[in-house]
Amino acid sequence: GTPLGTATMASSRAFFSSHSRRAFGVAAAAIGVPAALPLVAPSSWALSDAPPAEREKLLILGSGWGAVACLKNIDAKLYDVSVVSPRNYFLNTPLLPGVTVGTVEARSLIEPTRRLLPGAPGDARFFEAAATSVDAKNKTVVCRDESDVQSVNPEFSLRYDKLVIAVGSPCNTFGTPGVREHAVFLKEVDDALRIRTKLADLLETASLPGVSDTEQKDMLSVVVVGGGPTGVEFAAEMHDFLTEDVPKLYPSVKDKVSITLVQSADHILNTYDKRISQYAAEKFKRDGIDVITGARVLSVSKDAVCVMDKRTKQKKNQEIRRVRLEHRARQARVCRFRAKAVEPKPEAPRARDGRAPARARRGGRLRHRGLRGREECGFE
Amino acid sequence: GTPLGTATMASSRAFFSSHSRRAFGVAAAAIGVPAALPLVAPSSWALSDAPPAEREKLLILGSGWGAVACLKNIDAKLYDVSVVSPRNYFLNTPLLPGVTVGTVEARSLIEPTRRLLPGAPGDARFFEAAATSVDAKNKTVVCRDESDVQSVNPEFSLRYDKLVIAVGSPCNTFGTPGVREHAVFLKEVDDALRIRTKLADLLETASLPGVSDTEQKDMLSVVVVGGGPTGVEFAAEMHDFLTEDVPKLYPSVKDKVSITLVQSADHILNTYDKRISQYAAEKFKRDGIDVITGARVLSVSKDAVCVMDKRTKQKKNQEIRRVRLEHRARQARVCRFRAKAVEPKPEAPRARDGRAPARARRGGRLRHRGLRGREECGFE
């Protein structure tokens, strides 16, 4: 456990998951439905034994916090619910940092979307696919199975009366060169497992004969970019792992590991209460975690992070040679009823105001006032 | 749980593993040690604080059943122990079938090799690398780090007084065309996870709108090749998964899944007591698992397994269209002291006799009489 982590596991029951990696995208403007597609009309809904629906068709795109909050508050008697997402599970993202060092098993953070559907079994449906286009005029969404196993025709269409777009957003690199190529994000299960695998590999390689002291230190220099909850939690997990497990498993390199946290603002956890922020900073200082505040990452290469001090404009490049960069994950917070066709920009800025949906459109992203992220998406 | 599985989990403690996929190979004849390699001489062993070793250097290649049995019986006071393996953990293989459907979590079948080392911490060493050649004359093994993260010089050499080769063997395809390309093996952790991912993907795709009844049945036809303990255990796990989990999670396709077990001999579990064999066959019949005995797999393609009835010589090809083939795993049983340089053939037949090591050489594989596999490798 980390000094800052207080949340408990969402669910520890066994789950059978595909851990799909496909990005979820809703394409540009309405393009109409190709004539050849098997349009799923009201009568062909009947995957369940439920009577032909007189209810309004509610179609939800996505399976994250927004979609789950919506599913938890929907009355299956009023709506005929379908969910489409390329990921067939909900992921309890705040505990993801623990997966990177093995504190928490990935599967315990996961809940199958099918188990979250409202009503009796068969009342609502889930389809593992990506939504590729929305035809708002004809109230139709074209979907496509983008997984490895596909049927003869991987494309299909779904009609809706009401549409919820809760597809989330990709990690924001803020346009920093080299991040996509050389850094590891921490947003999905696969990201966390990638970090775990890489960390093990680095420790194993550093423990081999003939590796110089300098090379060991370079290899085991971990740089975390982002002093928000994800970055701070990850740095804390890393520290616990280094003090509790590494001395037993990798005694020859236990003193060679260093953790550096790069924060753009002038203190970490700057959106939290000042006392929490101070406590974390002091704890990190005692723990030997090097916190660089007021610093901007200019670029990332295979072996180095180039950091600029925002006050002095001085660049540092030599100090951090081997990089394992951890980028701040962004919560998916987008949800909207009666959506128009929208184009989510890959790196659109997050809407920060709390205004009504009609006014909350920022850079192509939509946000529903009732769904502001995990605080309001209580998940048992 | 499966009706036939009685073993309990080896260990459920959290483990930080690299799940390395690299094959482990000991190359052909002794090729001598390149001059440029950093030969690890007695004095440079000192990664631990142990006094310079007067003990004989025991070098163990591998981290499976053979290597672990050896580690458990070695006195660290008598030997200076080093272990080299591209996989940094021991895998409790008999429970692997449970991982394919989520009954058992992969990490609970794993124990870090470093935790199995004899003596006090630091007394013995582990190196994550592949042994690439043995120089029996100079008693030296050349090793190479074949993982993603490598140091400047990924090659190093280790000297030994006694050498244990316990590197295991690859899965035997018996030369059947198409097996490597289209089948999934069940020997390593990654194999089990691959089956789990694929199974989820098949169920998700079959549940999409517009997939015909025939296509669903083709897609969900699981063919298990090999009626030994691994194949039988996997078929039983699949059956339990289909009756317990699939109806809840995938109600629309629950009746479309079929399991076929292909066995070469005239009954399954033919190396076990006849009553066990009969019980399993009857249970499978009640469960609706289709067991084809006396059948040889001639070839495997993307969508079909070609099976020949060994008595009538009749070929069946049409019945099984979509293939998810499960190949019998072979236990690593190779162990030898004072080894000569050997060339393990990739698909060498297993030595079946119990004779002394000097006589047990079959097709290039070596076997130590004291180590006959899991029965004698009690692992707590």
Side-chain angles (χ1 to χ4, degrees), chain A residues 14-19 22 38 40 47 88 99-105 107 112 114-115 121-122 126-129 144-145 147-158 195-205 207-211 215 219 241 245 248-252 322 324, chain B residues 14-19 22 38 40 47 88 99-105 107 112 114-115 121-122 126-129 144-145 147-158 195-205 207-211 215 219 241 245 248-252 322 324:
Chain A
F15 173 53
F16 181 81
S17 149
S18 74
H19 289 195
R22 289 84 67 183
V40 179
L47 289 172
N88 68 358
V99 177
T100 60
V101 295
T103 312
V104 180
E105 180 52 42
R107 239 166 41 144
R114 292 170 191 277
R115 288 211 184 117
F126 174 79
F127 302 117
E128 194 189 73
R144 191 183 173 83
D145 178 10
S147 65
D148 291 338
V149 178
Q150 295 180 348
S151 70
V152 177
N153 187 355
E155 219 163 30
F156 60 96
S157 295
L158 298 174
I195 291 171
R196 196 160 87 191
T197 305
K198 188 157 253 176
L199 207 49
D201 199 353
L202 284 161
L203 285 161
E204 289 293 351
T205 300
S207 302
L208 292 177
V211 181
E215 206 184 351
M219 215 173 267
F241 174 66
D245 299 292
K248 287 176 215 151
L249 288 171
Y250 304 93
S252 64
R322 177 84 57 157
R324 296 295 164 254
Chain B
F15 172 54
F16 182 82
S17 146
S18 73
H19 290 195
R22 287 84 67 184
V40 178
L47 289 172
N88 68 358
V99 177
T100 60
V101 295
T103 313
V104 180
E105 181 51 44
R107 239 167 39 145
R114 291 170 193 277
R115 288 213 183 115
F126 173 79
F127 301 118
E128 193 190 73
R144 191 181 173 85
D145 178 11
S147 66
D148 291 337
V149 177
Q150 294 180 349
S151 70
V152 176
N153 187 357
E155 219 164 30
F156 60 95
S157 295
L158 297 174
I195 290 170
R196 196 160 85 189
T197 304
K198 189 156 252 176
L199 207 48
D201 200 352
L202 285 160
L203 286 162
E204 289 293 352
T205 300
S207 303
L208 292 178
V211 181
E215 205 184 352
M219 214 174 265
F241 174 64
D245 300 291
K248 289 177 212 148
L249 289 171
Y250 303 93
S252 65
R322 177 83 58 155
R324 295 295 164 256

Side-chain angles (χ1 to χ4, degrees), chain B residues 325-376:
Chain B
L325 184 142
E326 189 63 28
H327 212 284
R328 194 160 63 96
R330 286 177 53 192
Q331 295 298 330
R333 296 201 180 187
V334 185
C335 188
R336 192 174 186 256
F337 275 72
R338 296 190 190 280
K340 291 174 190 164
V342 290
E343 177 184 326
K345 290 184 188 168
E347 313 238 326
R350 176 165 56 178
R352 290 182 189 277
D353 64 302
R355 284 177 286 178
R359 302 182 62 196
R361 189 162 171 175
R362 291 284 180 279
R365 308 300 305 165
L366 298 166
R367 180 173 171 199
H368 187 269
R369 194 162 55 170
L371 296 164
R372 288 191 204 166
R374 77 183 77 150
E375 307 89 342
E376 297 176 34

Side-chain angles (χ1 to χ4, degrees), chain A residues 34-101:
Chain A
L37 288 178
L39 244 178
V40 179
S43 63
S44 60
W45 273 125
L47 289 172
S48 74
D49 298 318
E54 294 298 315
R55 303 162 291 177
E56 275 201 302
K57 278 180 218 327
L58 173 66
L59 178 56
I60 300 172
L61 308 182
S63 55
W65 291 100
V68 166
C70 188
L71 283 171
K72 282 180 69 75
N73 292 298
I74 278 296
D75 186 346
K77 292 193 192 78
L78 299 177
Y79 293 98
D80 182 22
V81 182
S82 293
V83 181
V84 172
S85 172
R87 199 178 78 180
N88 68 358
Y89 56 86
F90 167 81
L91 172 65
N92 187 9
T93 46
L95 289 181
L96 207 49
V99 177
T100 60
V101 295

Side-chain angles (χ1 to χ4, degrees), chain B residues 231-275:
Chain B
V232 166
E233 190 81 19
F234 172 73
E237 287 280 5
M238 266 296 291
H239 173 263
D240 288 2
F241 174 64
L242 293 178
T243 51
E244 289 164 21
D245 300 291
V246 170
K248 289 177 212 148
L249 289 171
Y250 303 93
S252 65
V253 298
K254 68 179 184 334
D255 302 321
K256 310 294 170 60
V257 194
S258 65
I259 308 170
T260 308
L261 183 70
V262 179
Q263 163 73 324
S264 176
D266 61 357
H267 54 286
I268 59 174
L269 294 178
N270 63 323
T271 58
Y272 285 65
D273 187 281
K274 206 178 176 183
R275 285 167 298 177

Side-chain angles (χ1 to χ4, degrees), chain B residues 104-219:
Chain B
V104 180
E105 181 51 44
R107 239 167 39 145
S108 61
L109 305 186
I110 272 171
E111 186 69 18
T113 310
R114 291 170 193 277
R115 288 213 183 115
L116 300 169
L117 296 175
D123 261 11
R125 289 147 232 93
F126 173 79
F127 301 118
E128 193 190 73
T132 55
S133 72
V134 177
D135 179 351
K137 197 178 156 199
N138 296 307
K139 294 193 168 183
T140 308
V141 174
V142 180
C143 306
R144 191 181 173 85
D145 178 11
E146 294 183 340
S147 66
D148 291 337
V149 177
Q150 294 180 349
S151 70
V152 176
N153 187 357
E155 219 164 30
F156 60 95
S157 295
L158 297 174
R159 285 198 178 131
Y160 63 85
D161 294 312
K162 283 191 165 64
L163 178 65
V164 173
I165 302 180
V167 300
S169 57
C171 282
N172 193 344
T173 68
F174 302 97
T176 315
V179 170
R180 293 220 179 276
E181 298 82 350
H182 305 295
V184 188
F185 293 90
L186 184 52
K187 179 159 174 150
E188 299 289 340
V189 165
D190 284 330
D191 296 335
L193 297 178
R194 203 171 296 129
I195 290 170
R196 196 160 85 189
T197 304
K198 189 156 252 176
L199 207 48
D201 200 352
L202 285 160
L203 286 162
E204 289 293 352
T205 300
S207 303
L208 292 178
V211 181
S212 72
D213 192 70
T214 313
E215 205 184 352
Q216 283 177 331
K217 283 179 179 164
D218 283 353
M219 214 174 265

